[in-house]
Amino acid sequence: QVQLVESGGGLVQAGGSLRLSCTASGHTFSMNTMGWFRQAPGKEREFVGCITWNGGNTYYADSVKGRFTVSRDNAKNTVYLQMNNLKPEDTGVYYCAAARTNAVLTTAGFYDYWGQGTQVTVSS
C-alpha cells in the first residue's frame, strides 16, 4: 500500500502562484507515474498533469499548459505541482495520484493510489 498526503493549498488572488506537494509513504517502490487531478464544485474530477518515474515525460491538460509544472524528487518520495498565473477557474480540490504503470496516464482509472486532496481557491 501507498499513502499520499497533499499540502500547499490555500487562497490566492488571480495571477498569483501556489506550489502543491504530495509526499508518499509505504510501499513507494511500487509507484511509477504520478499525477495531479482536480475537482471543482459540481464538476467531475479532471486531469491536470502527470510525470513518469524518472521525470523524463510530463504531460498537461490544455487548460494549464504553460502555467503549471509537475516535478518530482524520488529521493524524498515527493511530487510537486507548481501553479503560476492562477485563474478563478483553477479553483477546486487538487488530488495527487500514483500509478504502478510507468507511462503518461491522463485517466483517473489508471491510477492505483490517491491522496485526500487539498483545497485551492483563486479569487478574482
Side-chain angles (χ1 to χ4, degrees):
Q1 281 285 14
V2 173
Q3 294 78 42
L4 303 174
V5 178
E6 302 97 335
S7 62
L11 173 64
V12 64
Q13 287 188 331
S17 298
L18 281 175
R19 189 177 81 154
L20 305 183
S21 299
C22 172
T23 300
S25 60
H27 295 168
T28 57
F29 58 85
S30 66
M31 292 175 5
N32 281 297
T33 292
M34 300 293 294
W36 287 95
F37 289 76
R38 67 187 182 188
Q39 188 166 17
K43 294 188 177 181
E44 294 187 353
R45 192 171 298 190
E46 65 173 358
F47 170 78
V48 173
C50 69
I51 186 167
T52 52
W53 182 83
N54 63 355
N57 285 308
T58 55
Y59 190 81
Y60 301 94
D62 287 342
S63 59
V64 306
K65 203 171 292 183
R67 300 188 297 123
F68 290 12
T69 302
V70 180
S71 61
R72 68 191 294 169
D73 184 338
N74 289 340
K76 296 181 178 180
N77 292 322
T78 300
V79 63
Y80 305 96
L81 179 65
Q82 177 67 45
M83 305 185 293
N84 297 328
N85 190 21
L86 282 160
K87 304 176 181 180
E89 51 263 43
D90 294 319
T91 294
V93 178
Y94 282 69
Y95 297 91
C96 170
R100 291 190 288 264
T101 303
N102 189 36
V104 170
L105 303 170
T106 63
T107 303
F110 287 118
Y111 287 84
D112 303 289
Y113 309 103
W114 291 84
Q116 293 300 306
T118 185
Q119 176 71 44
V120 172
T121 303
V122 184
S123 63
S124 57

